[in-house]
């Protein structure tokens, strides 16, 4: 999905998060005289995200059950469980606290930052899920295996047949010198029109056009990659820049705000290569070790993407969530894609959706 910043070339909009909460547990008292337990509230994704932000203290992660429309919060104590239930969420007893899982992530960062790997806290399994792509083999795989085994049941190691890479490519949407990306979201900064896209795109391109070899419509002002993966470009021409995403079916999705993603949330992605695809948020605050460097704090999803989709929009209804960073696989065989959270990029640049 692109933003209609360019006639007949709506740039791809995307839209970042941290629902990994801290730790507690759930116990129901079998007492005939006890007051009935509070009902678990049925919530939409936005309401679940808001509730989860209120339940970070004393919990161990949370996820949204889209089918049941409820927020499930991991806990390791009865006191925390009571707090969770009183707020209308479902409390679930787990083994590992958020602090323990964060400690495992720090160990991975210090001992196993290997190109071709990624990791993130999965609140459903209450583990740090580590993924090694097909390039991780030999001594590198041996080292990764040794580190993950030493962390015990706090970590699960998986293998991907694909290769983690930023999704930049030559083609459509917003063009630079030999590179093509997708527009994420139109924003406003100091009263002036700008757009967000991926940082690795901003690193590669200073002058943007809406077509290959076309005249300039915007210039990259700032870019951050690796570490983060966002950049901001200022419109230099008289180009329409509505706050919407191209749905590639003759219609658009209006974007009115930026929001944090929630594990379990159903999302859509729009990009110039593969257009619109949907999927689910799998983890937050994920780390990806690309060959070009490490990026942290990403949204992990099972949405597919391909080269040229970089920078494109991840969204849920009117909410901008993320900017397409990279991943593995493709839209024929499936894969996983990581997104830079939009709220972080807006804060970094002092910009607003608009």
């Amino acid at each position: 999905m692109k933003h209609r910043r360019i006639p007949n070339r709506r740039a791809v909009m995307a839209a970042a998060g941290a629902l990994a909460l801290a730790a507690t547990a759930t116990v129901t008292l079998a007492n005939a005289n006890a007051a009935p337990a509070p009902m678990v509230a049925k919530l939409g994704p936005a309401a679940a995200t808001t509730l989860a932000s209120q339940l970070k203290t004393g919990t161990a992660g949370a996820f949204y059950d889209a089918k049941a429309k409820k927020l499930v919060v991991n806990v390791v104590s009865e006191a925390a469980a009571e707090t969770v239930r009183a707020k209308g969420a479902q409390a679930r007893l787990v083994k590992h606290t958020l602090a323990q899982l964060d400690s495992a992530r720090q160990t991975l960062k210090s001992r196993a930052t290997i190109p071709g790997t990624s990791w993130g806290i999965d609140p459903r399994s209450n583990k740090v899920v580590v993924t090694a792509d097909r390039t991780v083999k030999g001594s590198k795989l041996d080292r990764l295996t040794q580190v993950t085994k030493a962390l015990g049941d706090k970590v699960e190691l998986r293998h991907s047949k694909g290769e983690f890479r930023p999704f930049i490519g030559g083609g459509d949407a917003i063009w630079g010198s030999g590179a093509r990306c997708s527009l994420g979201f139109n924003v406003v900064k100091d009263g002036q029109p700008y757009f967000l896209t991926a940082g690795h795109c901003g690193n590669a391109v200073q002058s943007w056009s809406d077509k290959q070899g076309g005249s300039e419509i915007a210039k990259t002002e700032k870019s951050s990659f690796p570490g983060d993966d966002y950049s901001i470009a200022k419109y230099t021409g008289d180009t329409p820049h509505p706050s919407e995403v191209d749905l590639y079916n003759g219609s658009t999705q209006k974007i009115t705000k930026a929001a944090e993603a929630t594990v379990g949330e159903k999302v859509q992605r729009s990009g110039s290569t593969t257009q619109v695809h949907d999927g689910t948020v799998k983890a937050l605050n994920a780390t990806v070790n690309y060959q070009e460097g490490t990026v942290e704090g990403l949204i992990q999803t099972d949405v597919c993407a391909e080269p040229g989709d970089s920078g494109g929009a991840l969204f849920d209804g009117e909410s901008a969530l993320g900017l397409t960073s990279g991943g593995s696989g493709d839209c024929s065989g499936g894969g996983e894609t990581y997104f830079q959270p939009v709220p972080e990029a807006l804060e970094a640049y002092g910009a607003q959706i608009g």
Side-chain angles (χ1 to χ4, degrees):
M1 304 182 172
K2 310 172 185 178
H3 291 279
R4 200 196 304 146
R5 307 173 171 181
I6 306 159
N8 301 322
R9 289 211 180 241
R10 291 176 177 144
V12 183
M13 105 103 181
L19 270 190
L21 315 175
T24 31
T26 180
V27 178
T28 301
L29 297 177
N31 186 330
N33 297 318
M39 294 291 292
V40 175
K42 287 197 173 184
L43 303 169
T49 297
T50 300
L51 179 56
S53 69
Q54 300 171 5
L55 293 169
K56 290 185 177 181
T57 303
T59 60
F63 61 91
Y64 180 61
D65 184 334
K67 186 175 181 180
K69 293 186 177 180
K70 63 184 179 183
L71 180 70
V72 181
V73 181
N74 293 337
V75 295
V76 295
S77 75
E78 171 58 17
E82 290 179 358
T83 299
V84 167
R85 290 195 294 267
K87 288 283 189 177
Q90 177 179 322
R92 186 178 73 141
L93 180 64
V94 295
K95 180 178 180 180
H96 305 300
T97 67
L98 185 61
Q100 290 171 326
L101 297 179
D102 277 337
S103 177
R105 291 176 68 252
Q106 290 304 314
T107 298
L108 289 164
K109 181 178 180 179
S110 63
R111 298 180 57 196
T113 297
I114 300 167
T117 62
S118 71
W119 51 74
I121 294 175
D122 176 13
R124 294 179 184 271
S125 65
N126 189 227
K127 294 181 179 181
V128 178
V129 176
V130 181
T131 303
D133 73 13
R134 65 188 179 194
T135 69
V136 181
K137 44 192 169 184
S139 61
K140 292 180 180 179
L141 181 57
D142 291 342
R143 174 156 61 100
L144 181 63
T145 301
Q146 182 180 29
V147 172
T148 55
K149 280 187 175 180
L151 290 168
D153 63 358
K154 292 188 292 293
V155 171
E156 177 184 349
L157 177 59
R158 299 176 182 174
H159 299 272
S160 170
K161 295 180 179 179
E163 179 179 346
F164 291 127
R165 65 195 190 283
F167 285 135
I168 193 168
D172 194 0
I174 49 174
W175 289 82
S177 52
R180 186 249 306 173
C181 284
S182 297
L183 188 150
F185 298 94
N186 282 316
V187 299
V188 175
K189 176 185 174 186
D190 299 327
Q192 300 297 311
Y194 288 75
F195 67 76
L196 296 176
T197 189
H200 65 270
C201 293
N203 284 2
V205 176
Q206 290 301 305
S207 178
W208 292 103
S209 173
D210 63 346
K211 56 187 175 183
Q212 189 173 19
S215 57
E216 180 183 275
I217 63 162
K219 279 193 173 186
T220 297
E221 186 170 275
K222 292 183 179 179
S223 183
S224 180
F225 177 85
D228 303 300
D229 198 0
Y230 50 69
S231 66
I232 189 167
K234 184 176 183 179
Y235 282 107
T236 56
D238 186 18
T239 302
H241 48 275
S243 187
E244 57 188 37
V245 174
D246 189 352
L247 298 179
Y248 287 91
N249 61 3
S251 63
T252 60
Q253 170 63 59
K254 184 178 180 180
I255 299 299
T256 61
K257 59 186 176 181
E260 301 290 347
T262 302
V263 173
E265 182 176 1
K266 300 296 183 182
V267 293
Q268 289 182 292
R269 176 197 59 74
S270 177
S272 60
T273 300
T274 59
Q275 302 185 359
V276 181
H277 288 270
D278 58 21
T280 304
V281 175
K282 294 298 184 181
L284 302 172
N285 198 25
T287 297
V288 181
N289 297 301
Y290 296 121
Q291 299 296 328
E292 297 84 352
T294 298
V295 181
E296 298 181 303
L298 298 177
I299 304 168
Q300 181 180 346
T301 74
D302 60 7
V303 185
C304 70
E306 296 181 11
D309 287 328
S310 277
L314 180 74
F315 59 98
D316 179 1
E318 296 186 1
S319 297
L321 301 178
L323 305 166
T324 306
S325 174
S328 66
D330 54 40
C331 289
S332 296
E336 56 188 335
T337 303
Y338 295 82
F339 297 84
Q340 165 67 54
V342 166
E344 181 185 359
L346 293 174
E347 182 178 1
Y349 295 134
Q352 301 83 38
I353 293 293

